[in-house]
Amino acid sequence: MGLGSYLIYFAVLLILPLWAQFKLKKTYGKYSKVRSTSGHTGAQVARMILDQNGLYDVKVIESRGMLSDHYNPLKKTVALSSNNFHEASVAGTAVAAHEVGHAIQDAEDYSFLRLRHRLVPLVNISSNMSWVFIMIGFFAQLSGALLIGIVLLAMGVIFQIITLPVEFNASNRAMDQLLSANIIRNEEEPHAKKVLNAAAMTYVAATAVAVLELARLLLIYSSMNRS
């Protein structure tokens, strides 16, 4: 890779994730101040959609930290950050429905979600070990060690790629649930979609960076073998 290629690489590596985070915070900040016409808090929205889908065993709990919202398939809990849990905003409604979308995926045994869950223990190990082998390969000029590191790193990249359909599907389910249950009105739909799309872009950015880094290491490995 020449100097120009490296500059482009590092620009994408730094700017893309920062832009995605900025976009999310800006969009979420805007629509967290817009009160939903239903007047339901995020916790109420989550409970309503869960009950409508027969998921009475899934609990809705409050989590600490901004945008710490998530679904825990082991504990069967939808965790919503304080603002989304207590307040009735368009952003909170969209986020709550999205997390419930993951609970519905879990209940329906959605293939990509199941695969992602199965990969978590493996990826936790491989992501920690990959850079050990990559550094050994770099400093000792051992292409075999570098290749092992690349294979381990590729598992994390695969995990990132699998995450994309999981997140987009959860957002699609969220919008379907919100509209079918009349929780949001037609004029609120584009606003809710903006929140969900901004959140999805953080996953797209992370995946793009991971793929780019993997491609760079493959080029280095190829160059090392040619020399």
Side-chain angles (χ1 to χ4, degrees):
M1 294 176 66
L3 178 59
S5 298
Y6 269 111
L7 289 175
I8 294 173
Y9 165 76
F10 284 113
V12 173
L13 195 68
L14 294 173
I15 294 174
L16 189 57
L18 290 175
W19 173 82
Q21 287 295 329
F22 170 78
K23 182 70 173 177
L24 173 59
K25 289 181 179 179
K26 181 180 178 181
T27 306
Y28 174 81
K30 178 180 179 179
Y31 292 107
S32 64
K33 298 175 183 176
V34 178
R35 183 174 175 81
S36 62
T37 55
S38 70
H40 297 309
T41 66
Q44 291 171 329
V45 168
R47 186 73 268 159
M48 288 170 61
I49 299 176
L50 286 168
D51 290 350
Q52 286 169 3
N53 287 272
L55 302 179
Y56 306 108
D57 59 327
V58 179
K59 296 180 180 179
V60 182
I61 63 174
E62 183 178 355
S63 65
R64 296 180 179 179
M66 182 180 179
L67 293 176
S68 56
D69 314 82
H70 64 278
Y71 169 67
N72 189 320
L74 299 178
K75 297 181 179 180
K76 302 297 181 184
T77 56
V78 170
L80 301 177
S81 54
S82 296
N83 286 346
N84 294 333
F85 188 93
H86 293 288
E87 297 179 9
S89 69
V90 171
T93 296
V95 172
H98 174 87
E99 298 309 330
V100 174
H102 287 308
I104 297 173
Q105 288 175 336
D106 188 23
E108 295 182 357
D109 204 28
Y110 180 59
S111 57
F112 283 107
L113 181 70
R114 192 66 54 222
L115 179 58
R116 187 175 72 167
H117 288 166
R118 289 174 179 171
L119 286 176
V120 168
L122 186 61
V123 171
N124 286 339
I125 297 172
S126 66
S127 60
N128 291 327
M129 293 296 297
S130 62
W131 287 102
V132 174
F133 286 98
I134 289 170
M135 290 298 102
I136 292 173
F138 277 152
F139 291 110
Q141 287 295 295
L142 296 174
S143 62
L146 179 59
L147 181 59
I148 293 173
I150 289 172
V151 171
L152 292 172
L153 187 66
M155 294 181 185
V157 175
I158 292 171
F159 181 83
Q160 294 274 18
I161 292 172
I162 291 172
T163 295
L164 294 181
V166 173
E167 294 300 327
F168 281 109
N169 179 266
S171 290
N172 289 336
R173 290 173 186 265
M175 292 307 304
D176 289 342
Q177 293 291 327
L178 290 173
L179 292 170
S180 63
N182 294 316
I183 296 173
I184 63 172
R185 294 181 179 178
N186 290 337
E187 62 268 24
E188 293 175 299
E189 181 180 355
H191 301 157
K193 283 183 176 180
K194 286 180 181 179
V195 174
L196 295 176
N197 289 339
M201 280 307 301
T202 62
Y203 293 99
V204 173
T207 302
V209 168
V211 170
L212 190 61
E213 178 63 13
L214 182 63
R216 184 181 74 91
L217 291 171
L218 286 170
L219 287 174
I220 292 173
Y221 172 75
S222 178
S223 177
M224 189 180 293
N225 279 342
R226 287 198 302 268
S227 59

